[in-house]
Amino acid sequence: MNDTVAGTQGYGADADALAEQYESVTFEEVHGGLLHLYPTTPVRALDLGAGTGRDAAALARLGHTVTAVEPTPELRLHGERLHPDPALTWLDDALPDVPVLTERGERFDLILLTAVWMHLDPAERARGMRAVAALLAPGGMLAMTVRSGPVPSGRRMFDVPEAETVALAEAAGLRVAHRGGRADLHGRAGVRWSELVFTAPRRA
């Protein structure tokens, strides 16, 4: 699937260095401002754009049943090597349409979109939000961290207005539960991260 995913440009060639970078920070450091919102009892979780599986593996250690989706095969191989866990299943699929997940029909109580959204252009973001919202179980939670700042050489990234993301989520039937942000953990100049959490309506 990776050949058709524009947003993965450059990631396969740099997979070894990226794996070291991703694993140099912890799940708790990356998600510290959001952890109080995440489910504390075991749920079905999806890490969409899982990279090397750092966050997916952390969720599995917390007792969740986790699907890690990563379209770049080189990163997926690193993840399978670094984080073998029977509660963690790897899948080759990709935004904006996540056709494999959509076909499976599974719904998730927690979906992570960490450092992924800025790889989609405006039309892809509109399609992607609808697809992701459809994967949420009633009452489920979508947690997003979105990068802003200079684009690294060889990457496909876009500036994503926070207001646009909120509007897309609300149009897909989701409710804003949290808006925040943080500095870049790797200290890259000009790079900041928006943190957005949305929830799906519960069944009446």
Side-chain angles (χ1 to χ4, degrees), residues 1-24:
M1 172 167 295
N2 182 54
D3 292 340
T4 65
V5 182
T8 63
Q9 178 182 323
Y11 280 82
D14 295 340
D16 292 350
L18 288 170
E20 187 173 335
Q21 176 185 313
Y22 295 164
E23 298 291 329
S24 71

Side-chain angles (χ1 to χ4, degrees), residues 121-186:
D121 67 26
E124 291 168 336
R125 294 196 294 268
R127 286 161 50 197
M129 186 63 79
R130 291 192 295 269
V132 172
L135 296 173
L136 281 170
M141 175 180 296
L142 167 62
M144 304 175 66
T145 60
V146 186
R147 183 189 196 276
S148 62
V151 176
S153 175
R155 296 284 190 271
R156 179 191 193 248
M157 289 186 189
F158 303 90
D159 271 331
V160 182
E162 187 173 302
E164 178 208 89
T165 306
V166 170
L168 288 174
E170 290 179 337
L174 306 181
R175 181 182 66 82
V176 179
H178 176 85
R179 293 177 72 165
R182 60 170 172 78
D184 183 60
L185 294 175
H186 299 287

